[in-house]
Amino acid sequence: MKKEKIKILIIDDDPKVSWLLSEGLSDYEFVSARDGSEGIQMVTTEKPDLVLLDIKMPGISGLEVLERLSRLPSRPEIIMLSGHGETDNIAKSKHLGAAEFIHKPFEVKEIEIRVQAVLEAKKLREEVRELKSQLKSRNQYEQFIGDSPKMMQVKSIIEQVAGSELTVLIRGESGTGKEIVARMLHNMSTRADEPFTKVNCAAIPRDLLEAELFGYEKGAFTGAHKTKPGRFEVANKGSIFLDEIGDMPLELQSKLLQVLEQQEFVRVGGIHNIHVDVRIICATNKNLEEAIRRGGFRDDLFYRLNEITVFLPPLRSRTEDISLLVNHFLKKYGDLYQKPTMALSPETMSKLLQFAWPGNVRQLENLIKQVVVRGDESIVTEMLSNLIHSPEYVQTPDLPPSGGSPAVLSESGNVFSLKHRVGAAIANEERRLISEVLTKTNWNRRKAADLLEISYRSLLYKIKEYNLNSIK
Ligand SMILES: Nc1ncnc2c1ncn2[C@@H]1O[C@H](COP(=O)(O)OP(=O)(O)OP(=O)(O)O)[C@@H](O)[C@H]1O
Ligand SMILES: [Mg+2]
């Protein structure tokens, strides 16, 4: 281990100890305190890497100093020094977290060896902790599938902001993975070992939501028999995930804004401010800008929540991820139901690639789960055709055999949009007719354009748009 500027605090009433060590061990920086109270103070002001602590001192004893230092959130390594090495003191010191116990009189060399060993062990522990946290991040990614450019962008934002204290707003349609992202942001942060609390603002009746989030005092309302802390208090030092934030009632939005600005709030029926240290992560599939225009969402809260936005793209806009997700779910449910991992045929996979997935990854996951449970991929065709004929689904023109763009929902996400449905039907008919005329004219594009009574250029454009292909 490199002995560069390691700072050691000696707490001993005997000045000889400090003199001996600083003379004998020139590679370390020594500071010293003559009694326990001075020593405790110097731990905070000097921030030493290690403390050599005498047990028998006037005033506070070494064991008491050790006990007080153990209450600090983080403290340096401590080696006890004593001429009175009864087994009782050794046991107590170990129990209170001392790393070593050295008998007086000691050899300077012995101190050097023990100090090195203690600091090396500390460094190893830190390395293990760091590796564990890296492993945790990697495990997070193993559950978060997608390497399309859009998802790579999402992952890079997550990596950049996970360690920060910034409030994150996660947006995206239902089933795109907003909750997974919220959990990843917590698990990859320094708060990972502290609580992660999820509150679904849409699922809790509005008159109960305030008490749920901020807690209540005994007698605050009928049924409040005893004081109860809210989710913000439970999440202290950790993260709170406010899901469906777009459904939070206006009156609560101002209270939330106060927590965001001052990290303080008052319980329902309470008078005292409660201070919390909580990181806030929110998610919504609602159009918050629209809600602001309608007066249903505070714009100041929106700007405060929106410090960082992670936008999860719909599955239909990143079809490259579908086969990865399919294989991930085949393995996940194969393992869960103790069945051999299935592989889908290229024909089935191509059907999955061409579907619009209005329910996004959740819908794909449910479908694959059923394939695994029933051990039969042929149900994909049956289920997709049921879904396509359901009113929630809007399809673009028939897909050419060679592939083409996947079916899409209306841009606004409104599946009943008349404009979009009619547009899709017209496009469907247009594609069919052009394809028929091209076959009839043996792919003579000029003849086909004449017959269709459109310009040659528009025909070329439409052939490209509909991905029509002369090779069948
Ligand atoms: N990228 C992904 N990799 C693996 N699984 C995913 C991914 N995205 C979503 N899922 C899975 O899809 C399901 C839905 O994800 P999640 O609950 O996070 O969606 P959501 O965006 O919160 O949806 P909602 O708005 O309906 O609450 C979960 O089972 C989740 O594990
Ligand atoms: Mg969700």
Side-chain angles (χ1 to χ4, degrees), residues 87-100:
T87 38
D88 198 27
N89 276 345
I90 300 183
K92 273 190 201 149
S93 310
K94 287 264 151 109
H95 179 70
L96 288 169
E100 280 282 1

Side-chain angles (χ1 to χ4, degrees), residues 142-146 151 172-181 198 200 241 243-244 283-285 312 318 325 328-329 332-333 359-363 365:
E142 274 167 21
Q143 301 306 313
F144 189 58
I145 309 301
M151 285 305 271
E173 289 176 14
S174 181
T176 45
K178 297 187 290 297
E179 184 161 344
I180 295 201
V181 169
K198 174 187 161 183
N200 186 333
F241 173 40
D243 202 3
E244 319 275 7
T284 184
N285 53 20
L312 287 172
R318 48 181 170 107
L325 282 160
H328 169 71
F329 294 134
K332 175 175 164 184
Y333 289 104
N360 293 294
V361 185
R362 179 181 290 116
Q363 193 176 26
E365 178 170 5

Side-chain angles (χ1 to χ4, degrees), residues 22 42 67 118 142 150 157 195 222 230 279 301 323 333 420:
S22 35
M42 285 179 74
E67 192 181 350
V118 166
E142 274 167 21
K150 284 182 179 169
I157 299 175
T222 329
R279 194 226 187 138
L301 177 62
S323 57
Y333 289 104
H420 187 83

Side-chain angles (χ1 to χ4, degrees), residues 349-367:
M349 196 60 103
S350 130
K351 284 179 185 141
L352 295 174
L353 287 171
Q354 291 175 14
F355 188 66
W357 301 110
N360 293 294
V361 185
R362 179 181 290 116
Q363 193 176 26
L364 176 65
E365 178 170 5
N366 288 341
L367 179 70

